Amino acid sequence: MSALSPTLDAAMAAPARGVDTGLRRSRPAHALFVLPFVGLYAALVLWPLLQGFWISLHEHDLLSDEHHFIGLENFANLIDDEFFAQVLWNTLRFVMISVPVFVVVSLALALALNRPGRLGALLRGTFFAASVLSVTIVTLVWRLALMPERGLVSQLLAPLGLGEVGWLTSERLALPTVALVTVWWIIGLPMMLFLAALQQIPADVHEAAALDNASRWRTFTAVTLPALARTVALVAVIELIRECQVFPQIMLLTNGGPNNSSRPLAQFIYEQAFVQLSLGYATAASQVLFAIMLVGVSLQLWLERERKERA
Amino acid sequence: MSALKLDKVGKRYGAVKVIEQLSLDIAAGEFVVFLGPSGCGKTSLLRMIAGLESVTAGRVLIGGQDVTALPPGQRQLAMVFQHYALYPHMTVRANLAFGLRNVGVPADEIARRIDEAARMLELAPLLDRRPEQLSGGQRQRVAIGRAVVKEPAVFLFDEPLSNLDAALRGRTRVELARLHQRLGATMVFVTHDQLEAMTLATRIVVMNGGAIEQIGTPAEVYRRPATRFVAGFIGTPAMNFVEVARTGDAAGQAVVMLPGGERLVTRVPAAALGESTSLGGGRLSLGVRPENLRLVGAHELSPAPALHGRVDLVEFLGERTIAHVRLADDSVIGVTVQGASPVRGERVGVAMDLDQAHLFDAQGRAFHAGPVDAAGLTERVAA
């Protein structure tokens, strides 16, 4: 403050002295209003985050609770661990399959169901309903449906000669199949986000496009889609975060198999911590997962900002 | 050949009739204003012309071609929307070009038209901005520009001035009038604001309850309203209505009894009223605008007051003053004050320009007195 001239100092202080209702001035007591949130956030998010990073620098046995500092050795071991490389690749594959499908299919559903009337409402409710089901029910239903020969899917595909395909038992098909089940299960939320965004577009803009002789496709690409750009980014980020952490449906449908072909990073972390009881190694792996998600989200937000600036 | 023709057009939503059997002929170069209160069907009618709403009966013809079944983009129309409806992520230039690109106008022709419209509407400095970077008035000019570049057969305006503040509305109104003169194009304009209708229209279509009440020039609808609705809707302050009873005829003109019990010999030909009043049991409304009334002394002889009452309230409106006078039957009429303002509670007489006094029967039909000279009116409306 000493760098400021006395007059400037006085000028800055003047408005507060002029009409002092006490409302505009910042007081230490105002911090009380944000304290409950900051307290909870620090205790439940920040502290575990730091704690996790700290644990990852240790060799920590969960059973005996013995631990000693080993620096970055856990991370070095992860780099050499072929099993870790495989689960990492599985997770990335799962994200690359499911996130684009989520964006495209939920947008298509929203476009198709963004209409007044009972049928639209019924279908919107139906597509959202699956999200309400617990993962155990969803996986139970799909395990039955995907059973070779006797399952619903096999019976439907039998005329095409696909009746005996082992959807969950083939190394090549297990992960994509789980991705499709996941899309079926939780497509409701992104669909609702797109529906909300579609309803934000004023009707008269579409009417103006109709008067401007724009075809349906041209109206979609030139008017509707640009208005949905932010929602596309939002859905992609949400799904990226969710699908990086994929775990329960895989555990229940394939338990990571066959031959680890569908084992995700989250399952690896769980097994390292609570089966192998090496907590330090597990937390090191979860730091990697955290870093991947951070990079992915940042990349997406950066792309969105670039796109906006270009336009 | 008319530029736009509505042939027995009707619209219903299920059992609800919005517009019933409406026919209208608009000649090339006309500026027609649909005027009416909210819910009278004027916007529905405009949207039916645009093809944004289907018609449930009748035909819409543009330039002699039946376009009833054509989509909006193929009707040779341009529309300016109430909320502008600009494409938010496109620049002003792209907004103007969008419709032209869609019909395959060559790039150099698009550039030429945009330049011309930009010059006419002073849009040149805005061409590379986006709608969010423009003020309300600028957005409105862009919306008008988007219509102009299409060089349509008919321009449609859906309450385009209602989102602007009062000063800007006045200016844009003048610009629209100039634009019409300059382009000589056919324009259809929807509004509930009678001032806009009066100043812009070559013909006004007054609508109420999904039907046309009257079609006429601004002077006609103001001076010779066809119905009591039109008489009451057009003019600020509104026309006064005094309940009267027809008592007989004098020299071929209808004689009515006023609330105070006085008899008034009107200038309305008794023959025209004829049977019409017997339908209403002799009850009529006498309609006179405030500017056709004047305050006189209660016992003045010339002009002798037709009505008597007590001053309830005096309103100073700037260029004129209106006195609200309470009559014997407790109804209140507005009278333009000439000269010294009366004081509240003062007993006054009200003299009437009988040539401008209309009678309305129970069905709302109007009966006028004497011929009208249209010349004197324009001044008053413009004020």
Side-chain angles (χ1 to χ4, degrees):
Chain A
M1 267 307 180
S2 58
L4 290 172
S5 68
T7 40
L8 189 55
D9 253 352
M12 286 172 74
R17 230 184 288 136
V19 210
D20 188 7
T21 55
L23 283 172
R24 289 175 179 218
R25 255 207 311 209
S26 181
R27 293 162 187 269
H30 291 176
L32 286 173
F33 286 103
V34 289
L35 198 63
F37 172 77
V38 171
L40 282 174
Y41 184 76
L44 299 177
V45 179
L46 287 181
W47 177 243
L49 212 63
L50 292 171
Q51 183 88 351
F53 182 68
W54 185 240
I55 293 173
S56 72
L57 303 176
H58 291 72
E59 184 169 330
H60 190 140
D61 185 273
L62 195 59
L63 198 61
S64 60
D65 205 24
E66 274 173 25
H67 51 90
H68 59 275
F69 187 82
I70 53 167
L72 295 173
E73 204 182 303
N74 279 328
F75 293 94
N77 290 341
L78 279 177
I79 292 172
D80 295 333
D81 188 341
E82 279 181 22
F83 187 41
F84 176 73
Q86 185 178 0
V87 296
L88 191 61
W89 174 234
N90 287 344
T91 307
L92 292 178
R93 249 187 342 135
F94 188 84
V95 168
M96 287 187 293
I97 296 169
S98 61
V99 172
V101 175
F102 262 117
V103 173
V104 173
V105 174
S106 60
L107 176 57
L109 277 178
L111 286 169
L113 301 182
N114 183 30
R115 62 182 67 195
R118 286 210 191 138
L119 183 66
L122 182 76
L123 289 173
R124 284 194 295 272
T126 309
F127 281 106
F128 192 73
S131 311
V132 178
L133 300 176
S134 87
V135 66
T136 42
I137 295 171
V138 170
T139 48
L140 190 69
V141 168
W142 278 99
R143 274 173 71 158
L144 291 173
L146 291 168
M147 265 198 296
E149 293 180 46
R150 280 177 300 158
L152 179 68
V153 173
S154 300
Q155 285 181 10
L156 287 175
L157 296 180
L160 302 172
L162 296 171
E164 288 169 34
V165 175
W167 297 101
L168 295 171
T169 50
S170 141
E171 278 188 38
R172 273 198 313 146
L173 293 177
L175 197 70
T177 304
V178 179
L180 286 180
V181 170
T182 305
V183 169
W184 177 88
W185 176 31
I186 47 177
I187 191 81
L189 178 71
M191 179 190 78
M192 285 296 174
L193 290 174
F194 277 124
L195 277 167
L198 280 172
Q199 278 157 22
Q200 293 289 313
I201 305 174
D204 59 6
V205 175
H206 280 129
E207 290 173 353
L211 275 153
D212 273 345
N213 206 25
S215 64
R216 284 181 73 156
W217 177 248
R218 180 129 168 87
T219 306
F220 174 68
T221 53
V223 178
T224 312
L225 207 50
L228 295 178
R230 287 171 60 134
T231 312
V232 170
L234 177 71
V235 167
V237 166
I238 289 177
E239 293 308 328
L240 179 83
I241 293 171
R242 283 215 287 194
E243 304 324 327
C244 273
Q245 304 176 70
V246 60
F247 177 26
Q249 63 269 44
I250 292 186
M251 174 125 172
L252 292 167
L253 280 172
T254 66
N255 196 21
N259 195 19
N260 296 323
S261 65
S262 66
R263 190 173 306 262
L265 190 47
Q267 191 176 2
F268 174 87
I269 293 167
Y270 161 76
E271 284 166 351
Q272 286 300 322
F274 301 106
V275 181
Q276 310 290 335
L277 303 177
S278 42
L279 192 60
Y281 198 51
T283 40
S286 50
Q287 300 307 311
V288 175
L289 178 59
F290 178 65
I292 290 172
M293 279 157 45
L294 208 60
V295 168
V297 170
S298 312
L299 190 71
Q300 228 143 25
L301 294 179
W302 178 75
L303 281 175
E304 165 68 3
R305 216 180 22 246
E306 280 289 292
R307 188 198 62 81
K308 236 184 182 166
E309 275 165 19
R310 258 204 323 278
Chain B
M1 183 177 61
S2 53
L4 174 66
K5 184 179 166 75
L6 302 179
D7 182 21
K8 293 182 190 145
V9 158
K11 177 75 184 172
R12 53 162 71 222
Y13 297 102
V16 185
K17 272 186 189 157
V18 182
I19 287 167
E20 200 171 0
Q21 282 248 341
L22 189 150
S23 293
L24 181 66
D25 244 315
I26 297 176
E30 267 197 288
F31 197 128
V32 170
V33 175
F34 294 168
L35 175 66
S38 306
C40 71
K42 58 190 190 298
T43 294
S44 291
L45 188 59
L46 191 79
R47 293 170 60 81
M48 283 154 64
I49 296 171
L52 297 172
E53 258 168 58
S54 59
V55 299
T56 39
R59 295 186 308 154
V60 179
L61 293 99
I62 293 171
Q65 188 201 354
D66 187 345
V67 298
T68 319
L70 286 184
Q74 290 169 26
R75 294 188 177 200
Q76 309 260 332
L77 297 171
M79 183 156 166
V80 177
F81 291 82
Q82 186 175 3
H83 302 284
Y84 322 127
L86 300 177
Y87 308 118
H89 51 278
M90 293 185 201
T91 61
V92 169
R93 190 190 302 277
N95 262 281
L96 298 185
F98 187 69
L100 302 179
R101 288 208 186 111
N102 290 339
V103 292
V105 177
D108 53 341
E109 171 68 7
I110 293 178
R112 188 191 66 75
R113 289 200 205 173
I114 290 178
D115 281 349
E116 198 181 308
R119 213 176 20 252
M120 194 174 1
L121 295 161
E122 293 165 35
L123 292 175
L126 311 178
L127 282 176
D128 295 315
R129 293 204 211 158
R130 284 151 171 269
E132 63 186 12
Q133 297 166 308
L134 306 179
S135 69
Q138 290 171 329
R139 285 179 207 190
Q140 190 54 274
R141 292 218 304 276
V142 174
I144 293 169
R146 189 170 64 179
V148 169
V149 292
K150 289 170 79 176
E151 300 180 358
V154 181
F155 284 83
L156 306 178
F157 294 91
D158 183 13
E159 308 214 19
L161 306 183
S162 60
N163 275 350
L164 305 177
D165 64 53
L168 201 52
R169 200 179 308 154
R171 264 214 313 278
T172 314
R173 210 172 56 215
V174 174
E175 277 177 25
L176 274 178
R178 273 203 204 111
L179 190 72
H180 177 243
Q181 281 175 4
R182 189 159 169 178
L183 299 175
T186 314
M187 296 186 172
V188 181
F189 188 102
V190 162
T191 183
H192 62 267
D193 182 334
Q194 46 162 311
L195 187 65
E196 282 170 21
M198 288 289 190
T199 49
L200 289 171
T202 51
R203 270 200 304 165
I204 296 179
V205 177
V206 185
M207 291 183 66
N208 184 34
I212 293 176
E213 292 271 337
Q214 185 174 4
I215 304 175
T217 64
E220 278 165 4
V221 295
Y222 188 81
R223 299 197 118 183
R224 295 180 76 82
T227 63
R228 180 172 167 154
F229 172 82
V230 176
F233 189 75
I234 302 231
T236 326
M239 184 184 277
N240 298 299
F241 294 103
V242 179
E243 298 310 311
V244 296
R246 187 176 176 198
T247 55
D249 305 336
Q253 287 166 324
V255 179
V256 296
M257 190 168 73
L258 296 166
E262 305 95 329
R263 278 154 47 89
L264 177 75
V265 182
T266 67
R267 303 251 163 99
V268 178
L273 271 163
E275 49 196 298
S276 160
T277 37
S278 59
L279 292 172
R283 302 302 301 177
L284 291 166
S285 294
L286 176 71
V288 199
R289 295 197 183 277
E291 67 264 30
N292 300 126
L293 296 173
R294 55 186 285 215
L295 292 181
V296 292
H299 303 291
E300 189 113 5
L301 292 174
S302 175
L307 296 157
H308 292 88
R310 206 178 273 281
V311 176
D312 222 22
L313 179 76
V314 180
E315 262 187 312
F316 176 65
L317 300 179
E319 84 281 12
R320 62 191 153 160
T321 301
I322 303 288
H324 295 251
V325 178
R326 190 171 291 274
L327 303 180
D329 67 347
D330 226 26
S331 61
V332 177
I333 59 169
V335 181
T336 307
V337 175
Q338 289 155 348
S341 285
V343 290
R344 195 168 163 251
E346 188 180 335
R347 285 204 65 83
V348 290
V350 178
M352 191 184 298
D353 177 358
L354 285 174
D355 285 331
Q356 303 300 337
H358 317 278
L359 286 174
F360 300 94
D361 67 12
Q363 283 74 46
R365 238 179 339 143
F367 301 92
H368 305 291
V372 180
D373 69 316
L377 188 69
T378 1
E379 270 173 45
R380 186 155 46 225
V381 173

Coordinates of all heavy atoms in Angstrom, one line a residue, chain B residues 31 33 137 140-141 144 157 160-162 164-181 187 189 191 193-201 381-383:
Chain B
F31 N -49.2 -0.6 -47.0 CA -48.7 -0.9 -45.7 C -49.9 -1.1 -44.8 O -50.6 -0.2 -44.5 CB -47.9 0.3 -45.2 CG -47.0 0.0 -44.0 CD1 -45.7 0.3 -44.0 CD2 -47.6 -0.6 -42.8 CE1 -44.9 0.1 -42.9 CE2 -46.8 -0.9 -41.8 CZ -45.4 -0.6 -41.8
V33 N -51.8 -2.6 -41.5 CA -51.6 -2.8 -40.1 C -52.8 -3.6 -39.5 O -53.9 -3.2 -39.7 CB -51.4 -1.5 -39.3 CG1 -51.2 -1.8 -37.8 CG2 -50.1 -0.8 -39.8
G137 N -32.0 -1.7 -30.1 CA -32.3 -0.9 -31.3 C -31.5 -1.4 -32.5 O -32.0 -1.6 -33.6
Q140 N -32.8 -4.7 -33.7 CA -34.0 -4.6 -34.5 C -33.6 -4.2 -35.9 O -34.2 -4.6 -36.9 CB -34.9 -3.5 -33.8 CG -36.3 -3.4 -34.4 CD -36.9 -4.8 -34.4 OE1 -36.8 -5.6 -35.3 NE2 -37.7 -5.1 -33.3
R141 N -32.6 -3.3 -36.1 CA -32.2 -2.9 -37.4 C -31.7 -4.1 -38.2 O -31.9 -4.2 -39.4 CB -31.2 -1.7 -37.3 CG -31.8 -0.4 -36.8 CD -31.2 0.8 -37.5 NE -29.7 0.8 -37.5 CZ -29.1 1.3 -36.5 NH1 -29.7 1.8 -35.4 NH2 -27.7 1.4 -36.5
I144 N -34.5 -6.1 -39.4 CA -35.1 -5.5 -40.5 C -34.2 -5.7 -41.8 O -34.7 -6.0 -42.8 CB -35.4 -4.0 -40.3 CG1 -36.5 -3.9 -39.2 CG2 -35.9 -3.3 -41.5 CD1 -36.6 -2.5 -38.6
F157 N -44.3 -8.0 -40.2 CA -43.7 -7.5 -39.0 C -44.6 -7.9 -37.8 O -45.8 -7.6 -37.8 CB -43.7 -6.0 -39.0 CG -42.8 -5.4 -40.0 CD1 -43.2 -5.1 -41.3 CD2 -41.4 -5.1 -39.7 CE1 -42.4 -4.5 -42.3 CE2 -40.6 -4.6 -40.7 CZ -41.0 -4.3 -41.9
P160 N -42.9 -5.4 -34.0 CA -41.4 -5.3 -34.0 C -40.9 -4.2 -33.1 O -39.8 -4.1 -32.7 CB -41.0 -5.0 -35.4 CG -42.2 -4.3 -36.0 CD -43.4 -4.9 -35.3
L161 N -41.8 -3.3 -32.6 CA -41.3 -2.1 -31.9 C -41.6 -2.3 -30.4 O -41.2 -1.5 -29.6 CB -42.0 -0.8 -32.4 CG -41.9 -0.6 -33.9 CD1 -42.5 0.8 -34.2 CD2 -40.4 -0.6 -34.3
S162 N -42.3 -3.4 -30.0 CA -42.8 -3.5 -28.6 C -41.6 -3.7 -27.6 O -41.8 -3.5 -26.4 CB -43.8 -4.6 -28.5 OG -43.2 -5.8 -28.8
L164 N -38.8 -2.0 -27.7 CA -37.9 -0.9 -27.7 C -38.4 0.1 -26.7 O -39.6 0.2 -26.4 CB -37.8 -0.3 -29.1 CG -37.4 -1.2 -30.2 CD1 -37.4 -0.5 -31.5 CD2 -36.0 -1.8 -29.9
D165 N -37.5 1.0 -26.1 CA -38.0 2.0 -25.2 C -38.7 3.1 -26.0 O -38.6 3.2 -27.3 CB -36.9 2.6 -24.3 CG -35.8 3.3 -25.2 OD1 -36.1 4.2 -25.9 OD2 -34.6 2.9 -25.0
A166 N -39.4 4.0 -25.3 CA -40.3 4.9 -26.0 C -39.6 5.8 -27.1 O -40.1 5.9 -28.2 CB -41.0 5.8 -25.0
A167 N -38.4 6.3 -26.7 CA -37.8 7.2 -27.7 C -37.3 6.4 -28.9 O -37.6 6.9 -30.1 CB -36.5 7.8 -27.0
L168 N -36.8 5.3 -28.7 CA -36.3 4.5 -29.8 C -37.5 4.0 -30.7 O -37.4 3.9 -31.9 CB -35.5 3.3 -29.3 CG -34.6 2.6 -30.2 CD1 -33.6 3.6 -30.8 CD2 -33.8 1.5 -29.4
R169 N -38.6 3.7 -30.0 CA -39.8 3.2 -30.7 C -40.2 4.3 -31.7 O -40.5 4.0 -32.9 CB -40.9 2.9 -29.7 CG -41.9 2.0 -30.3 CD -43.0 1.7 -29.2 NE -42.4 1.3 -28.0 CZ -43.0 1.4 -26.8 NH1 -44.1 2.1 -26.7 NH2 -42.4 1.0 -25.7
G170 N -40.2 5.5 -31.2 CA -40.6 6.6 -32.1 C -39.7 6.8 -33.3 O -40.1 6.9 -34.4
R171 N -38.4 6.7 -33.1 CA -37.4 6.8 -34.1 C -37.5 5.7 -35.1 O -37.5 5.9 -36.4 CB -36.0 6.8 -33.6 CG -35.4 8.2 -33.3 CD -33.9 8.3 -33.6 NE -33.2 7.2 -32.9 CZ -32.8 7.2 -31.6 NH1 -33.2 8.2 -30.9 NH2 -32.0 6.3 -31.2
T172 N -37.6 4.4 -34.6 CA -37.7 3.3 -35.5 C -39.0 3.3 -36.3 O -39.0 2.9 -37.5 CB -37.7 2.0 -34.7 OG1 -36.7 2.1 -33.7 CG2 -37.4 0.8 -35.6
R173 N -40.1 3.9 -35.7 CA -41.3 4.0 -36.5 C -41.1 4.9 -37.7 O -41.5 4.6 -38.8 CB -42.4 4.6 -35.5 CG -43.8 4.2 -35.8 CD -44.7 4.7 -34.8 NE -44.6 6.1 -34.6 CZ -44.7 6.8 -33.4 NH1 -44.9 6.1 -32.4 NH2 -44.6 8.1 -33.4
V174 N -40.4 6.0 -37.5 CA -40.2 6.9 -38.6 C -39.3 6.2 -39.7 O -39.5 6.3 -40.9 CB -39.5 8.2 -38.1 CG1 -39.1 9.1 -39.3 CG2 -40.4 8.9 -37.2
E175 N -38.3 5.4 -39.2 CA -37.4 4.7 -40.1 C -38.2 3.7 -40.9 O -38.0 3.6 -42.1 CB -36.3 4.0 -39.4 CG -35.1 4.9 -39.0 CD -34.1 4.2 -38.2 OE1 -34.0 3.0 -38.3 OE2 -33.3 4.9 -37.5
L176 N -39.1 3.0 -40.3 CA -40.0 2.0 -41.0 C -40.8 2.7 -42.1 O -40.9 2.2 -43.2 CB -40.9 1.3 -40.0 CG -40.3 0.1 -39.3 CD1 -41.3 -0.5 -38.4 CD2 -39.9 -1.0 -40.4
A177 N -41.4 3.9 -41.7 CA -42.2 4.6 -42.7 C -41.3 5.0 -43.9 O -41.8 4.9 -45.0 CB -42.8 5.8 -42.0
R178 N -40.1 5.4 -43.6 CA -39.2 5.8 -44.7 C -38.8 4.6 -45.6 O -38.8 4.7 -46.8 CB -37.9 6.4 -44.1 CG -38.0 7.8 -43.9 CD -36.6 8.5 -43.8 NE -36.8 9.7 -43.0 CZ -36.2 9.9 -41.9 NH1 -35.5 9.0 -41.3 NH2 -36.5 11.0 -41.2
L179 N -38.6 3.5 -44.9 CA -38.2 2.3 -45.6 C -39.3 1.9 -46.5 O -39.1 1.5 -47.7 CB -38.0 1.2 -44.5 CG -37.4 -0.1 -45.1 CD1 -35.9 0.1 -45.4 CD2 -37.5 -1.2 -44.0
H180 N -40.6 2.0 -46.1 CA -41.7 1.6 -46.9 C -41.8 2.5 -48.1 O -42.0 2.1 -49.3 CB -43.0 1.7 -46.1 CG -44.2 1.4 -46.9 ND1 -45.2 2.3 -47.2 CD2 -44.6 0.3 -47.6 CE1 -46.1 1.8 -48.0 NE2 -45.7 0.6 -48.2
Q181 N -41.6 3.8 -47.9 CA -41.6 4.8 -49.0 C -40.5 4.4 -50.0 O -40.7 4.4 -51.2 CB -41.4 6.2 -48.5 CG -42.6 6.8 -47.9 CD -42.3 8.2 -47.4 OE1 -41.2 8.7 -47.5 NE2 -43.3 8.8 -46.7
M187 N -46.2 -4.4 -47.1 CA -45.9 -4.7 -45.8 C -47.1 -5.0 -45.0 O -48.1 -4.3 -45.1 CB -45.1 -3.5 -45.1 CG -43.8 -3.2 -45.8 SD -42.8 -2.0 -45.0 CE -41.2 -2.1 -45.9
F189 N -48.2 -5.5 -40.9 CA -47.6 -5.1 -39.6 C -48.6 -5.4 -38.6 O -49.8 -5.0 -38.7 CB -47.3 -3.6 -39.7 CG -46.5 -3.0 -38.6 CD1 -45.1 -2.8 -38.7 CD2 -47.1 -2.7 -37.4 CE1 -44.4 -2.2 -37.7 CE2 -46.4 -2.1 -36.4 CZ -45.0 -1.9 -36.5
T191 N -49.8 -5.0 -34.6 CA -49.5 -4.2 -33.4 C -50.8 -4.1 -32.6 O -51.9 -4.3 -33.1 CB -48.9 -2.8 -33.7 OG1 -48.6 -2.2 -32.5 CG2 -49.9 -2.0 -34.5
D193 N -50.6 -1.3 -30.7 CA -50.4 0.1 -30.4 C -51.1 1.0 -31.5 O -50.6 1.0 -32.7 CB -48.9 0.4 -30.3 CG -48.6 1.8 -30.0 OD1 -49.4 2.7 -30.2 OD2 -47.5 2.0 -29.4
Q194 N -52.1 1.7 -31.2 CA -52.9 2.4 -32.2 C -52.1 3.5 -32.8 O -52.2 3.9 -34.0 CB -54.2 2.9 -31.7 CG -54.0 3.6 -30.3 CD -55.1 4.4 -30.0 OE1 -55.6 5.2 -30.8 NE2 -55.7 4.2 -28.8
L195 N -51.1 4.1 -32.0 CA -50.3 5.2 -32.5 C -49.4 4.6 -33.7 O -49.3 5.3 -34.8 CB -49.4 5.7 -31.4 CG -48.6 7.0 -31.8 CD1 -49.6 8.1 -32.1 CD2 -47.7 7.3 -30.7
E196 N -48.8 3.4 -33.5 CA -48.1 2.8 -34.6 C -49.0 2.6 -35.8 O -48.6 2.9 -37.0 CB -47.5 1.5 -34.2 CG -46.3 1.6 -33.3 CD -45.9 0.2 -32.7 OE1 -46.3 -0.8 -33.2 OE2 -45.2 0.3 -31.6
A197 N -50.2 2.1 -35.6 CA -51.1 1.8 -36.7 C -51.4 3.1 -37.4 O -51.4 3.1 -38.6 CB -52.3 1.1 -36.1
M198 N -51.8 4.1 -36.7 CA -52.2 5.4 -37.3 C -51.1 6.0 -38.1 O -51.3 6.5 -39.2 CB -52.6 6.4 -36.2 CG -53.9 6.0 -35.5 SD -55.2 6.3 -36.6 CE -56.6 6.2 -35.5
T199 N -49.9 6.0 -37.6 CA -48.8 6.7 -38.3 C -48.2 5.9 -39.5 O -47.7 6.5 -40.4 CB -47.6 7.0 -37.3 OG1 -47.3 5.8 -36.6 CG2 -48.1 8.1 -36.3
L200 N -48.3 4.6 -39.4 CA -47.6 3.8 -40.4 C -48.5 3.3 -41.6 O -48.1 3.2 -42.7 CB -46.9 2.5 -39.8 CG -45.7 2.8 -38.9 CD1 -45.3 1.5 -38.2 CD2 -44.5 3.3 -39.8
A201 N -49.8 3.1 -41.2 CA -50.6 2.3 -42.1 C -51.1 3.1 -43.3 O -51.4 4.3 -43.2 CB -51.8 1.7 -41.4
V381 N -53.8 13.5 -35.7 CA -53.3 12.2 -35.4 C -51.8 12.3 -35.3 O -51.2 11.8 -34.3 CB -53.6 11.2 -36.5 CG1 -52.9 9.9 -36.3 CG2 -55.1 11.0 -36.5
A382 N -51.1 13.1 -36.1 CA -49.7 13.2 -36.1 C -49.3 13.9 -34.7 O -48.2 13.5 -34.2 CB -49.2 14.1 -37.2
A383 N -50.1 14.7 -34.2 CA -49.7 15.3 -32.9 C -49.8 14.3 -31.8 O -49.0 14.2 -31.0 CB -50.7 16.5 -32.6

